[in-house]
Amino acid sequence: MTTVFKFGGASIKDADAIRNLTPLIEAHADRPLVVVVSAMGKTTNALEALLAAARDEGRGDDYRKRLDALGSSHQAIADALLGDEAQALKERIGNLVEALDDQHRRHRQGPFSRHYDQTVCYGELLSTTIVAEWLNRADVATDWLDARELVITDDHHQDANVDWKATSDAIRSQAGGSRNVLLTQGFIGGTAEGVSTTLGREGSDFSAAIFAHCLDAGEVVIWKDVTGLFNADPRRFGNAVQLKRLSYAETIELAWHGAKVIHPKTLGPLKQKEIPLTVRSFETPDAPPSTITSDTRFDTDLPSCILRDDQVLLEVKPKDFSFMDEPRQHDILGRLVEAGMHANLIDGGAMQLTLCLDNMAERLEPLMESLDADYTLQRQEGLTLLTVRHPSGSILERLSEGRDVLVERRNATTAQRLFRTVECPETWYIPD
Ligand code: ADP
Ligand code: ASP
Ligand code: MG
């Protein structure tokens, strides 16, 4: 049975990190193994900045500088890995950067999302080119596969929808049967016509699940810079505890509410085929991991806390003092979908709908403009949304004590408060 590994940006951020993952792959290389890799370090952020410069007529120099920096940072990693033997790989890196520039020229006048996908996909193309070359030099026989020919999607750029039948056919015909390690890109796909697409930021976890689903894999292992899934972000909460066993359903809830460790779309394709997901540390691979299956027995053992920063509260009221009835809600939520936005919390009253949204200016402004014609809008920024799953006692109240709470929402399993972001203590603690 195939195993699917996924390595994110932190696990391949530099030459040492790439060297460190070799033994992890080597240990599995005698069995069918697909390795899904995302872009190095913060490359996708760098590509987004490059694209912003590229779209701005006046910032041609900035674009060129950023493009050169992208090429030289990847070439420096090739040098650090291969020394005197890096020349051929450096040429391939140079060719990829040229191809990126070419794609930019072709798409710069067109729609932003399409331009984004044709250029930002190069982060993963660059990283996998380097990692595949390194593994082969390290005697781990590896085939490089282009995920744009395997993960077949529609042309909903930046958030493309997978065509499962076409994807399954492509993956089974190209990725079945090889004795080598198969290395491919996370996050990216392509349409049936060969146009590049992306699956949404942080989408490499989802890519691993797509490959696993299509190959009826026995297991997916996502290698992270944490030992597993915790009941709060261990970088923000001093007393976060690792959740060793969790169900797909509970993990979807945590991810959906903003636990950034796993992309929420990852769980569905795995649940459908009962493929276990293991989250482990690439830094301490022997540490006990978190395992996610259908078993729900441990889901409610501990409360989990999730913070979402940089939230906007939007209060939408009909201009004519009429009810916020279903047709109006339908209209407003339809415009939200059109703007490509997701509400992290929805609340309502007789004459208003309250939405809590991520502060993404490029999507929020067009949404505000569209709503402004028919509704009275009130907007507040600088907010934090706290979600507690399985809250016990007064945990929500204690965590938000002394804060200016604007909205609260509760049901049997989840409690949320939206409050004004204050100078947060460096470290949060989950109360007993
Ligand atoms: P990747 O390298 O795969 O992109 P990410 O950076 O997206 O990895 O995810 C790992 C990070 O997720 C950790 O460094 C951690 O700070 C953060 N994180 C947020 N919430 C949680 C949680 N509940 N459990 C574990 N890690 C979490
Ligand atoms: N490289 C992409 C991103 O940074 C996808 C991923 O890392 O999962 O969003
Ligand atoms: Mg990530």
Side-chain angles (χ1 to χ4, degrees):
M1 257 186 167
T2 303
T3 298
V4 177
F5 279 1
K6 181 256 164 166
F7 290 99
S11 67
I12 51 160
K13 67 177 193 301
D14 54 28
D16 282 344
I18 295 172
R19 279 195 197 94
N20 284 343
L21 60 84
T22 319
L24 305 178
I25 295 174
E26 209 169 12
H28 265 78
D30 56 342
R31 287 154 282 169
L33 179 65
V34 173
V35 180
V36 173
V37 174
S38 57
M40 288 174 170
K42 302 281 177 214
T43 302
T44 307
N45 292 351
L47 282 161
E48 288 188 350
L50 174 137
L51 189 70
R55 302 280 297 186
D56 186 339
E57 287 294 330
R59 288 172 63 202
D61 285 352
D62 190 17
Y63 164 73
R64 181 47 60 189
K65 254 192 238 155
R66 288 177 184 276
L67 191 69
D68 291 346
L70 183 80
S72 44
S73 64
H74 284 83
Q75 287 181 333
I77 290 175
D79 272 332
L81 284 171
L82 303 180
D84 292 346
E85 295 177 17
Q87 200 44 42
L89 177 58
K90 285 171 74 177
E91 273 168 31
R92 283 160 62 206
I93 292 169
N95 292 342
L96 283 170
V97 173
E98 265 177 40
L100 189 172
D101 188 33
D102 182 53
Q103 286 298 323
H104 154 60
R105 282 170 209 290
R106 280 196 215 184
H107 294 280
R108 67 178 154 191
Q109 308 293 358
F112 174 81
S113 288
R114 193 175 159 108
H115 189 192
Y116 181 103
D117 284 358
Q118 307 323 301
T119 47
V120 174
C121 65
Y122 278 87
E124 271 71 11
L125 296 172
L126 283 161
S127 66
T128 50
T129 300
I130 294 173
V131 176
E133 181 65 27
W134 164 254
L135 288 174
N136 279 309
R137 300 281 187 112
D139 285 333
V140 183
T142 303
D143 295 337
W144 182 93
L145 298 177
D146 190 336
R148 296 172 301 175
E149 295 168 7
L150 300 174
V151 178
I152 309 302
T153 69
D154 64 7
D155 63 357
H156 193 264
H157 289 290
Q158 287 193 276
D159 190 18
N161 300 295
V162 175
D163 176 338
W164 286 98
K165 169 80 176 74
T167 298
S168 187
D169 289 348
I171 289 180
R172 280 163 187 259
S173 68
Q174 286 192 57
S178 170
R179 300 177 70 123
N180 291 348
V181 171
L182 301 176
L183 185 107
T184 192
Q185 307 78 35
F187 178 56
I188 71 176
T191 65
E193 293 73 38
V195 178
S196 303
T197 55
T198 60
L199 305 174
R201 286 302 307 263
E202 303 291 334
S204 293
D205 298 334
F206 179 38
S207 301
I210 295 171
F211 279 91
H213 178 97
C214 294
L215 292 168
D216 292 317
E219 187 188 16
V220 174
V221 183
I222 299 195
W223 298 89
K224 297 267 171 185
D225 57 0
V226 282
T227 51
L229 230 133
F230 285 65
N231 70 336
D233 184 345
R235 290 185 205 289
R236 301 190 71 178
F237 285 77
N239 58 348
V241 175
Q242 188 175 336
L243 305 166
K244 302 264 169 56
R245 303 283 306 273
L246 215 61
S247 72
Y248 299 113
E250 182 61 21
T251 310
I252 290 184
E253 290 289 344
L254 298 179
W256 172 263
H257 284 107
K260 289 248 157 70
V261 61
I262 285 214
H263 194 288
K265 284 188 184 170
T266 312
L267 288 314
L270 300 182
K271 160 74 186 147
Q272 279 174 29
K273 300 227 172 153
E274 298 287 333
I275 302 168
L277 168 64
T278 307
V279 181
R280 327 185 144 259
S281 160
F282 59 82
E283 285 159 343
T284 51
D286 295 330
S290 297
T291 304
I292 296 145
T293 62
S294 281
D295 189 345
T296 57
R297 276 178 301 164
F298 308 96
D299 287 353
T300 54
D301 283 0
L302 288 173
S304 290
C305 302
I306 302 151
L307 292 170
R308 257 186 201 272
D309 293 319
D310 205 9
Q311 298 295 293
V312 176
L313 179 69
L314 194 61
E315 285 179 349
V316 188
K317 294 182 180 165
K319 277 190 172 155
D320 56 3
F321 211 70
S322 60
F323 293 137
M324 182 52 72
D325 53 10
E326 281 74 8
R328 291 225 184 252
Q329 292 183 22
H330 183 253
D331 173 48
I332 295 164
L333 295 179
R335 296 191 205 196
L336 199 74
V337 174
E338 241 167 62
M341 293 208 76
H342 158 73
N344 299 322
L345 184 151
I346 301 177
D347 198 32
M351 285 186 298
Q352 77 173 48
L353 192 69
T354 305
L355 304 170
C356 171
L357 308 166
D358 291 330
N359 195 359
M360 301 163 78
E362 70 285 1
R363 297 189 187 186
L364 189 58
E365 298 314 329
L367 173 69
M368 298 277 297
E369 226 168 85
S370 144
L371 290 171
D372 192 45
D374 304 306
Y375 300 93
T376 305
L377 302 176
Q378 252 189 341
R379 163 180 173 168
Q380 300 192 59
E381 296 190 10
L383 308 176
T384 295
L385 178 62
L386 166 68
T387 302
V388 183
R389 289 278 298 162
H390 314 297
S392 54
S394 54
I395 182 168
L396 182 78
E397 292 72 11
R398 289 173 67 192
L399 272 168
S400 50
E401 210 168 280
R403 295 174 198 275
D404 183 7
V405 177
L406 302 167
V407 183
E408 178 172 324
R409 195 182 143 264
R410 273 175 198 270
N411 61 28
T413 54
T414 311
Q416 295 180 293
R417 273 189 172 179
L418 181 71
F419 45 79
R420 235 174 269 289
T421 310
V422 284
E423 279 303 306
C424 291
E426 281 274 279
T427 308
W428 291 72
Y429 286 94
I430 305 170
D432 298 332

